[in-house]
Amino acid sequence: MESFFNIRYEFDKNKVSSSIANRLKQPGSDYICVSDGNILHNTYMNKDYLDVINGGMFSICDSSYVPVYLKWIYNIHRDQYAGSDIFLDIVSADKYRMIFLGAKQSTLDSLKNELIKINPNVASMTFKELPFLPVEEFDYPKIAQMIEDDKAEIIWISLGAPKQERFMANLKPYLHHGVMIAIGATFNFFSGLKIKRAPDWMIRNHMEFIYRIYSEPKKQLKRCWCILSTLPALLRQEYKKKRSADNQKNF
């Protein structure tokens, strides 16, 4: 793991996979955050939320721009590992029993039909809409009991950031087994409904945000403005961190 912008990242896909497998061999539960630009903004603005993000196993890098920033600042190469990618990797691997929580039931039903084409064993898995509540008001003991009765090992959460990360942190003490992964809009992308992920060429060229703005202009324009408002401070902070580390090496 490595720490950049105060977030603990695991960039290596193989280590992400082996960490999940090893954690599932142990008692207790844990969670993985899928950190994009929105999460960078929110962790900068809210120390409590940063503690939530770093309170799990680690984050994976959902932002295509964080690797660009790391190239600028540290001259190192790191890869994006988007929520959609880890979702597809785990679903298609067919190693674990999974449960899918969040989103509207109509989206979940469509998602199930689409995922069965990738992994037929998904047909026996649970897709459950969660009530629309403030994150503090969920019945976490009841949700944990439902997951344990289901014997799910991977718990996919789609409630949108920052809610879904706080949900995982709140559920963790009640859950005796499993790894939770919060994946934002990924349920929508794979459901076959109107919201889809950007084409590969846009993703490769760091233009996915343009596609997201086109698909959901009101939501995404507001989010982009928030990200841009804190980005200069985040970059300055990371530059100072690098300079400090370089100075210590020179002593």
Side-chain angles (χ1 to χ4, degrees), residues 181-193:
I181 309 175
I183 43 151
T186 297
F187 283 7
N188 289 324
F189 296 157
F190 282 91
S191 68
L193 300 178

Side-chain angles (χ1 to χ4, degrees), residues 139-176:
D139 188 339
Y140 290 103
K142 183 177 179 180
I143 294 170
Q145 189 61 57
M146 174 188 69
I147 294 169
E148 291 179 4
D149 290 346
D150 187 86
K151 302 189 185 308
E153 298 167 289
I154 300 293
I155 302 100
W156 297 108
I157 310 293
S158 180
L159 293 171
K163 185 176 183 178
Q164 60 194 11
E165 291 77 26
R166 295 189 182 280
F167 177 92
M168 293 192 298
N170 290 347
L171 182 58
K172 179 180 175 180
Y174 299 99
L175 196 59
H176 298 118

Side-chain angles (χ1 to χ4, degrees), residues 64-193:
S64 69
Y65 279 94
V66 164
V68 174
Y69 305 149
L70 297 182
K71 182 67 175 176
W72 289 348
I73 299 170
Y74 295 98
N75 196 29
I76 58 175
H77 175 80
R78 297 294 183 269
D79 291 319
Q80 178 187 20
Y81 193 19
S84 298
D85 296 330
I86 191 174
F87 184 75
L88 182 59
D89 287 347
I90 292 177
V91 170
S92 59
D94 193 19
K95 289 183 179 179
Y96 307 114
R97 179 165 180 82
M98 299 170 285
I99 189 169
F100 303 78
L101 302 177
K104 295 181 179 178
Q105 195 61 48
S106 57
T107 299
L108 292 168
D109 292 342
S110 295
L111 176 65
K112 183 173 186 176
N113 291 334
E114 293 298 317
L115 294 185
I116 287 170
K117 300 173 186 176
I118 300 171
N119 175 1
N121 287 324
V122 167
S124 66
M125 299 180 191
T126 300
F127 291 70
K128 179 71 173 177
E129 180 178 359
L130 294 174
F132 185 72
L133 293 171
V135 72
E136 300 83 9
E137 295 183 13
F138 284 100
D139 188 339
Y140 290 103
K142 183 177 179 180
I143 294 170
Q145 189 61 57
M146 174 188 69
I147 294 169
E148 291 179 4
D149 290 346
D150 187 86
K151 302 189 185 308
E153 298 167 289
I154 300 293
I155 302 100
W156 297 108
I157 310 293
S158 180
L159 293 171
K163 185 176 183 178
Q164 60 194 11
E165 291 77 26
R166 295 189 182 280
F167 177 92
M168 293 192 298
N170 290 347
L171 182 58
K172 179 180 175 180
Y174 299 99
L175 196 59
H176 298 118
H177 185 66
V179 171
M180 297 173 276
I181 309 175
I183 43 151
T186 297
F187 283 7
N188 289 324
F189 296 157
F190 282 91
S191 68
L193 300 178

Side-chain angles (χ1 to χ4, degrees), residues 3 22 25-26 65 78 82 118 131 159 185 191 194 207 221 233:
S3 180
N22 291 334
K25 294 174 184 176
Q26 303 168 19
Y65 279 94
R78 297 294 183 269
I118 300 171
L159 293 171
S191 68
K194 64 178 182 176
M207 297 170 63
L221 280 171

Side-chain angles (χ1 to χ4, degrees), residues 4 31 37 46 53 55 71 130 141 159 166 178 187 189 192 206 215 244 247:
F4 299 110
Y31 60 88
N46 190 324
I53 296 298
K71 182 67 175 176
L130 294 174
L159 293 171
R166 295 189 182 280
F187 283 7
F189 296 157
H206 310 288
S215 301
S244 176
N247 289 337

